[in-house]
Each structure stands twice: as C-alpha cells, then as structure tokens.
C-alpha cells in the first residue's frame, strides 16, 4: 500500500516538472521576443524619435520576463538536477539576442 502511495507521489512530481518545463518554454520565448522588441523597436523610438514611453513599458515587461526566466531556470535546475554547464548556458542565453530561442530548441 505504501508503495502505491509512493508511486502516485512520484507521478505527481513528474507531472509538475513537465508542466514547469512547458511553462519555461513559454517564458523563454516571451523573454526572447521582448528583448528583440526592446532592442529593435523601443530603443530606436527612444533615441531617434525621443519617445521614451516605449522603453519604459517594453523594458518593464522584459524585466519581469527576465526575472521569471531566471527563477524558472533555477527551479528546473534544482528539480531536474541540471549540471553546472547546462545551467550556465541557459542563464547566459537570456542576455544574448536569440539566445533563449536556441536554448529552447536545444534543451526542450
């Protein structure tokens, strides 16, 4: 009986990790898109046309997605027991344009 409860608990944990992996994929894509929008749209609007509002709004959104990406990566590192190299690559990819897209395709 105890064995059955253990199996159910393990199945629930694995299900939660799979959900978190899917969530991480979504966060990675959104973070990547927000960085590109920030660099290719908002920054030119600020420095060429003097419209700072785009940097404020898109920058805030990107910042929240960046934090969610880092926290999600740390959570998955702990839950899935990633090695240091994989974790470092995933975290550093968040500051390189197109990096999160590469990581999402490579690892997920």
């Amino acid at each position: 009986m105890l064995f059955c409860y253990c199996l159910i608990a393990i199945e629930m944990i694995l299900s939660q990790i799979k959900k978190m992996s899917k969530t991480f994929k979504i966060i990675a894509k959104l973070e990547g898109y927000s960085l590109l929008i920030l660099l290719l749209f908002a920054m030119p609007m600020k420095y060429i046309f003097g419209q700072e509002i785009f940097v404020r709004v898109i920058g805030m959104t990107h910042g929240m997605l960046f934090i969610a990406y880092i926290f999600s990566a740390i959570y998955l590192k702990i839950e899935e027991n990633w090695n240091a190299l994989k974790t470092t690559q995933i975290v550093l990819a968040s500051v390189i344009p197109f990096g999160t897209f590469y990581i999402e395709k490579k690892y997920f």
Side-chain angles (χ1 to χ4, degrees):
M1 191 68 155
L2 180 63
F3 181 72
C4 291
Y5 288 129
C6 290
L7 287 178
I8 292 170
I10 290 170
E11 184 178 325
M12 289 173 56
I13 291 169
L14 291 175
S15 173
Q16 185 65 26
I17 290 172
K18 287 179 184 177
K19 287 179 187 176
M20 188 61 193
S21 293
K22 288 179 183 179
T23 303
F24 184 75
K25 285 176 68 170
I26 293 168
I27 291 171
K29 285 182 181 179
L30 291 175
E31 196 274 339
Y33 290 134
S34 71
L35 178 60
L36 292 176
I37 293 169
L38 183 64
L39 294 176
L40 300 176
F41 175 72
M43 297 299 280
M45 291 300 289
K46 177 181 179 179
Y47 291 108
I48 296 171
F49 301 107
Q51 299 292 322
E52 293 184 18
I53 188 68
F54 294 106
V55 172
R56 289 183 186 175
V57 173
I58 297 169
M60 175 76 73
T61 304
H62 171 69
M64 290 187 292
L65 288 168
F66 176 79
I67 291 169
Y69 179 88
I70 298 298
F71 282 145
S72 298
I74 291 169
Y75 176 81
L76 285 173
K77 185 244 185 285
I78 294 166
E79 291 296 319
E80 294 187 5
N81 198 25
W82 291 345
N83 61 33
L85 178 63
K86 181 177 181 178
T87 305
T88 303
Q89 288 175 341
I90 288 172
V91 169
L92 288 178
S94 66
V95 296
I96 300 168
F98 301 104
T100 57
F101 302 119
Y102 170 75
I103 291 298
E104 189 263 328
K105 290 291 184 195
K106 182 176 180 180
Y107 291 115
F108 299 96

